[in-house]
Amino acid sequence: VQLVESGGGLVQPGGSLRLSCVASGFTLDGHGVGWFRQAPGKERVGVSCISNLGGSTLYADSVKGRFTISRDSGKNTVYLQMNNLKPEDTAVYYCAATPRSTTIDIWPTLQPYEYDYWGQGTQVTVSS
C-alpha cells in the first residue's frame, strides 16, 4: 500500500501547479482522499478532500476559489490543481487516503487523524 505525490516545485506568486497522488497496491475507489500541507515549524493542516465516490469536496478557507481537487478512477489518481499561488502556500504537501465505502458516498473530512494511508510529500515553494 503506497501513495506517491508528484508535481511540486518552485513557482512564482500567481502561478499554478497541479499535484498528483497515485496509489499503488490498492485502489482509491471507495476511499476518501485528502490533501494536507505542513509548513516549517507548523502543524500539518487539511487543504482539501474528496469523498469516496467523488460526490463531495471540502476546502480550507485559505484555498477556496484557488484550489480544485478531483479524482480519476481509471488512473487511480487524485489531483490538486492550485492556481493563483501565494507565498503562504509554501509547504510540503501530502496526500492521504482512508477506506470508506464503494456504494455509499460519505462526507469527507479535513482531519488528519481520520486518514490511514499517507504519502511522503512533495515540496511546493512559492517565491519570486
Side-chain angles (χ1 to χ4, degrees), residues 1 3 26-34 50-53 71 96-109 112-118:
V1 174
L3 293 171
F26 73 108
T27 175
L28 283 176
D29 289 349
H31 287 71
V33 178
I50 188 165
S51 61
N52 48 301
L53 298 185
R71 60 192 306 161
T98 186
R100 294 297 191 203
S101 169
T102 58
T103 57
I104 301 172
D105 207 16
I106 297 172
W107 190 253
T109 175
Y113 65 81
E114 295 276 1
Y115 290 82
D116 297 314
Y117 313 127
W118 289 83

Side-chain angles (χ1 to χ4, degrees), residues 6-60:
S6 64
L10 173 64
V11 64
Q12 292 186 342
S16 298
L17 286 173
R18 188 177 78 159
L19 304 183
S20 299
C21 173
V22 180
S24 63
F26 73 108
T27 175
L28 283 176
D29 289 349
H31 287 71
V33 178
W35 283 97
F36 300 81
R37 67 187 182 189
Q38 188 167 19
K42 295 188 177 181
E43 293 185 350
R44 189 172 300 186
V45 297
V47 174
S48 180
C49 56
I50 188 165
S51 61
N52 48 301
L53 298 185
S56 300
T57 57
L58 286 177
Y59 297 92

Side-chain angles (χ1 to χ4, degrees), residues 36-90:
F36 300 81
R37 67 187 182 189
Q38 188 167 19
K42 295 188 177 181
E43 293 185 350
R44 189 172 300 186
V45 297
V47 174
S48 180
C49 56
I50 188 165
S51 61
N52 48 301
L53 298 185
S56 300
T57 57
L58 286 177
Y59 297 92
D61 288 343
S62 58
V63 306
K64 280 181 182 176
R66 300 189 298 123
F67 291 11
T68 303
I69 191 171
S70 61
R71 60 192 306 161
D72 185 334
S73 294
K75 295 183 178 180
N76 212 21
T77 300
V78 171
Y79 302 99
L80 185 67
Q81 178 67 45
M82 306 187 296
N83 298 328
N84 190 22
L85 283 160
K86 304 175 180 181
E88 51 264 41
D89 294 318
T90 295

